[in-house]
Each structure stands twice: as structure tokens, then as C-alpha cells.
């Protein structure tokens, strides 16, 4: 169903969720790109809700970018970003990187200028007809690239030739979209390119880690959306971190439920991203990994929930949620998967 019938269905669903589960947080999952943004924006103040494909993905990518810059010993505000794939997830990544750059000291405009997005028609430019509303923020003037064609598409190679991109993020679902020539162009602008082919499953990955390390002579900082094994290049073993949304949404969701927020603001996800980056250990970074080990998920979720709650309390000191011992309060309310023993009878 589409149009008015679709809108009425979603309206009825949200109304009944709010009626039946007044303390719930709603997570919008796997909606198409336009519907994902429309539904989130339409109902964000009706009940506490978020879209993990947009906000969870964005937060986990921002955390990885922060981790990569710890390896580079640079700031995220010094980088130039290209997001290859401008669907709901890709623009969500751009939005969260933008929020991270502002938190790192840039103005709104300065942050926007450092982010380029590409879709099936190439770099999103201001002179395009029928430009999707959710892409407008990052649309760029064609005059930025002196060698760009006067009309038509500007592809990834043309972008990397003209613009000093240092961070390349894939959310396109297009297998092998990143090629050796792209990495070579990035190496002209930075000694340590950051490349995250995030599309999954592995058959849709924009590149495989082995190729990226080879093309980048072992200097590329890699994270993926799918799980990959360690990669050894020139006798150096790299652990490939996985940008898994499960690092973000349990902690943010727990904080939202316990604090009884009425609106889930983007700041919650920005805080979650910075706290996830704080969970990356020195050993992780030494092995080239920009995410912590997944076996530490419970502690990571605890830390993220605590960081989000602490920020909420600072911004809203009148919030009725004021436990004397936040650590104990959180520990008592984290679900533990304990089951009764059973046997066949």
C-alpha cells in the first residue's frame, strides 16, 4: 500500500502502540529510504522512537571514525568524508558524522562542507532535478570540482581526483565498488586512508579487507559491516573491526526506557558514539581495529546507557529519574538471560 492508505495504516499502528504500551520505545526497522525519514520525523514527538538503520548505523560509524583518528593521531574535524550510498542508512551516517564534527568544534556549515554523499547518479549536486529532500543538506555545487563535467554524473573517481577525501564509507550494497584506483587517489591526500565498506552480507561489500590492505600498502584503516577474519599483510596482522549496530542500540534503548524520555534526540546517539569510541582499547588500536571485541558487549552497553543517562540528567535536571547510585540502578535493571532447567518428558 502507498499514499494516504499507507499513512493511515502507520498512524493507526503508532496510535495503538502508544495506547497498549505507553512505556515502550518504538524502533522503526527496515523501512524504505523515504518512508524511514518521513515516519521518524512525523512521529518522533508522538512517542519515543528511533530508526536503527538511520541513527544506530550513524552512531556506530561515527565511533569507528573516532577510533580511526585515534590511530591516525588526528581529529575527526580534520577529515573530509565521502559516503558512497545515499539511502536512509547512508544519509543517517552523514547526519551523525555531521553531529560529531560539530561536537568536535566545527560550525554547522563547516561540518556540512566536509561531507560528500553519492548515490546511483554519482555525487549529489545542487543542480539535480527532483532531488530527494533528505539529501538536500549535503548537495554540493558543481563548481567545487574544476575537472567535473558541466552536466551529468560525477562518479567516485572524479570526486576523489578533485576533493581531498580521507574517509570513504560504503553503504551502497554494490559489491566491489571500491577499487585500487580509488585507494591510490586517497593516498595522495593522506598517509592513512580510512575505508569502511559497510554493506552486508559479504557478497555486497564494497571491497574485501585483503584487497584494501594490499592496495593501501598496509596503511589503510579498515572496518566492515560484515564479520571478517584477521588479515596479515607484510607480516603485520590486522584485526578487522565490525561496525555492528548491536554496539549502540541496547545501551541507548535502555537509557531511553529508564529515563522515560518523550523524545529521542540525536544527541543521545552522538553521546553513544563517543562512549563506544572510549571502549576501544589500546590493544584494539595497536591491531588496527576501530571497534572493541564483541564479547565485551554487555559492559559496552552498560557504559553507553550510563553516558546517555548522565547527559540527559545534565540537560534536564528536573527529570524525575534521579537515582542516588546510577551504577547500581543500571545493573539491577539490565536483563540477564537466565532460564529454568528443562528436560524431555
Amino acid at each position: 500500500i502507498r499514499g494516504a492508505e499507507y499513512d493511515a495504516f502507520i498512524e493507526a499502528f503508532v496510535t495503538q502502540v502508544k495506547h497498549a504500551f505507553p512505556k515502550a520505545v518504538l524502533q522503526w526497522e527496515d523501512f524504505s529510504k523515504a518512508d524511514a525519514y518521513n515516519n521518524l520525523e512525523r512521529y518522533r514527538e508522538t512517542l519515543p522512537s528511533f530508526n536503527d538503520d538511520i541513527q544506530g548505523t550513524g552512531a556506530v560509524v561515527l565511533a569507528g571514525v573516532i577510533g580511526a583518528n585515534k590511530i591516525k593521531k588526528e581529529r575527526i574535524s580534520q577529515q573530509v568524508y565521502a559516503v558512497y550510498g545515499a539511502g536512509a542508512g547512508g544519509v543517517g551516517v552523514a547526519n551523525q558524522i555531521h553531529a560529531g564534527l560539530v561536537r568536535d568544534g566545527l560550525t554547522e556549515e563547516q561540518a556540512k562542507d566536509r561531507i560528500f554523499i553519492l548515490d546511483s547518479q554519482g555525487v549529489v549536486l545542487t543542480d539535480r532535478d527532483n532531488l530527494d529532500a533528505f539529501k538536500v543538506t549535503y548537495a554540493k555545487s558543481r563548481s567545487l570540482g574544476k575537472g567535473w563535467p558541466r552536466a551529468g554524473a560525477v562518479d567516485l573517481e572524479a570526486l576523489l581526483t578533485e576533493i581531498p577525501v580521507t574517509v570513504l564509507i560504503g553503504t551502497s550494497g554494490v559489491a566491489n565498488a571500491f577499487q585500487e584506483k580509488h585507494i591510490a587517489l586517497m593516498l595522495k591526500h593522506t598517509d592513512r586512508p580510512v575505508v569502511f565498506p559497510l554493506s552486508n552480507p559479504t557478497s555486497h561489500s564494497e571491497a574485501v579487507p585483503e584487497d584494501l590492505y594490499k592496495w593501501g600498502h598496509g596503511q589503510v584503516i579498515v572496518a566492515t559491516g560484515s564479520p571478517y577474519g584477521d588479515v596479515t599483510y607484510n607480516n603485520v596482522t590486522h584485526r578487522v573491526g565490525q561496525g555492528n549496530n548491536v554496539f549502540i542500540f541496547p545501551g541507548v534503548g535502555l537509557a531511553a526506557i529508564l529515563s522515560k524520555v518523550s523524545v529521542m534526540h540525536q544527541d543521545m546517539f552522538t553521546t553513544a558514539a563517543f562512549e563506544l569510541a572510549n571502549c576501544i582499547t589500546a590493544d584494539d588500536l595497536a591491531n588496527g581495529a576501530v571497534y572493541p571485541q564483541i564479547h565485551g558487549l554487555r559492559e559496552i552497553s552498560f557504559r553507553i546507557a550510563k553516558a546517555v543517562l548522565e547527559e540527559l540528567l545534565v540537560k534536564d535536571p528536573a527529570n524525575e529519574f534521579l537515582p542516588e547510585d546510577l551504577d547500581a540502578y543500571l545493573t539491577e535493571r539490565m536483563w540477564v538471560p537466565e532460564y529454568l532447567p528443562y528436560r524431555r518428558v
Side-chain angles (χ1 to χ4, degrees), residues 124-194:
V124 174
L125 300 171
T126 54
D127 61 4
R128 183 186 297 182
D129 294 332
N130 302 316
L131 181 60
D132 292 323
F134 64 93
K135 300 179 185 178
V136 169
T137 299
Y138 304 103
K140 297 294 190 288
S141 170
R142 190 176 292 272
S143 63
L144 282 177
K146 296 178 181 178
W148 290 355
R150 294 185 178 180
V154 175
D155 63 14
L156 179 60
E157 183 177 0
L159 172 67
L160 296 176
T161 299
E162 297 286 333
I163 303 297
V165 172
T166 57
V167 180
L168 176 59
I169 297 165
T171 56
S172 67
V174 179
N176 305 314
F178 298 165
Q179 301 172 20
E180 185 172 7
K181 61 184 179 182
H182 299 137
I183 307 306
L185 287 168
M186 292 183 72
L187 283 166
K188 293 182 178 181
H189 308 302
T190 176
D191 294 333
R192 302 298 306 269
V194 178

Side-chain angles (χ1 to χ4, degrees), residues 59-311:
V60 80
V61 173
L62 173 58
V65 168
I66 296 168
N69 278 276
K70 289 183 178 183
I71 295 174
K72 288 162 66 78
K73 294 181 171 56
E74 296 176 5
R75 300 178 68 91
I76 60 172
S77 53
Q78 295 175 282
Q79 311 307 313
V80 178
Y81 302 83
V83 181
Y84 186 83
V91 176
V93 166
N95 287 340
Q96 194 59 72
I97 289 173
H98 182 275
L101 297 181
V102 171
R103 188 170 288 199
D104 198 42
L106 298 186
T107 67
E108 297 272 346
E109 284 300 311
Q110 288 171 334
K112 184 179 73 174
D113 290 344
R114 287 184 168 271
I115 302 170
F116 294 76
I117 63 173
L118 301 91
D119 59 14
S120 59
Q121 300 178 57
V123 177
V124 174
L125 300 171
T126 54
D127 61 4
R128 183 186 297 182
D129 294 332
N130 302 316
L131 181 60
D132 292 323
F134 64 93
K135 300 179 185 178
V136 169
T137 299
Y138 304 103
K140 297 294 190 288
S141 170
R142 190 176 292 272
S143 63
L144 282 177
K146 296 178 181 178
W148 290 355
R150 294 185 178 180
V154 175
D155 63 14
L156 179 60
E157 183 177 0
L159 172 67
L160 296 176
T161 299
E162 297 286 333
I163 303 297
V165 172
T166 57
V167 180
L168 176 59
I169 297 165
T171 56
S172 67
V174 179
N176 305 314
F178 298 165
Q179 301 172 20
E180 185 172 7
K181 61 184 179 182
H182 299 137
I183 307 306
L185 287 168
M186 292 183 72
L187 283 166
K188 293 182 178 181
H189 308 302
T190 176
D191 294 333
R192 302 298 306 269
V194 178
V195 184
F196 292 178
L198 297 177
S199 294
N200 50 50
T202 54
S203 59
H204 289 191
S205 183
E206 287 82 5
V208 297
E210 290 87 348
D211 285 341
L212 291 172
Y213 289 119
K214 180 178 68 176
W215 298 337
H217 316 296
Q219 296 303 299
V220 176
I221 301 171
V222 179
T224 57
S226 299
Y228 282 90
D230 294 352
V231 176
T232 300
Y233 178 83
N234 274 357
N235 297 319
V236 176
T237 299
H238 306 267
R239 181 172 74 78
V240 181
Q242 183 190 2
N244 193 325
N245 291 11
V246 76
F247 281 128
I248 295 292
F249 67 78
V252 173
L254 179 61
I257 291 169
L258 294 181
S259 63
K260 300 178 182 178
V261 293
S262 58
V263 179
M264 295 185 67
H265 294 287
Q266 187 178 42
D267 281 352
M268 297 171 68
F269 292 91
T270 307
T271 296
F274 276 85
E275 186 58 36
L276 175 56
N278 288 337
C279 295
I280 306 168
T281 68
D283 286 343
D284 293 330
L285 297 174
N287 291 325
V290 300
Y291 292 108
Q293 300 273 14
I294 197 71
H295 61 67
L297 181 59
R298 188 174 182 84
E299 179 186 354
I300 292 165
S301 297
F302 177 93
R303 290 180 57 174
I304 287 175
K306 183 179 179 182
V308 173
L309 287 170
E310 287 176 335
E311 182 169 279

Side-chain angles (χ1 to χ4, degrees), residues 12-69:
F13 175 78
V14 170
T15 299
Q16 292 304 314
V17 166
K18 188 173 182 179
H19 172 73
F21 308 107
K23 297 180 181 180
V25 169
L26 176 64
Q27 200 282 100
W28 302 91
E29 176 74 14
D30 281 347
F31 284 77
S32 64
K33 55 185 180 182
D35 290 334
Y37 278 94
N38 291 341
N39 290 334
L40 185 61
E41 187 59 31
R42 182 177 178 182
Y43 295 107
R44 61 186 301 271
E45 295 187 3
T46 302
L47 77 176
S49 67
F50 70 101
N51 185 306
D52 188 51
D53 299 319
I54 297 174
Q55 295 156 294
T57 299
V60 80
V61 173
L62 173 58
V65 168
I66 296 168
N69 278 276

Side-chain angles (χ1 to χ4, degrees), residues 307-328:
V308 173
L309 287 170
E310 287 176 335
E311 182 169 279
L312 286 171
L313 293 173
V314 169
K315 291 184 174 180
D316 182 16
N319 192 307
E320 64 182 52
F321 171 77
L322 287 171
E324 292 184 5
D325 187 336
L326 185 54
D327 284 24

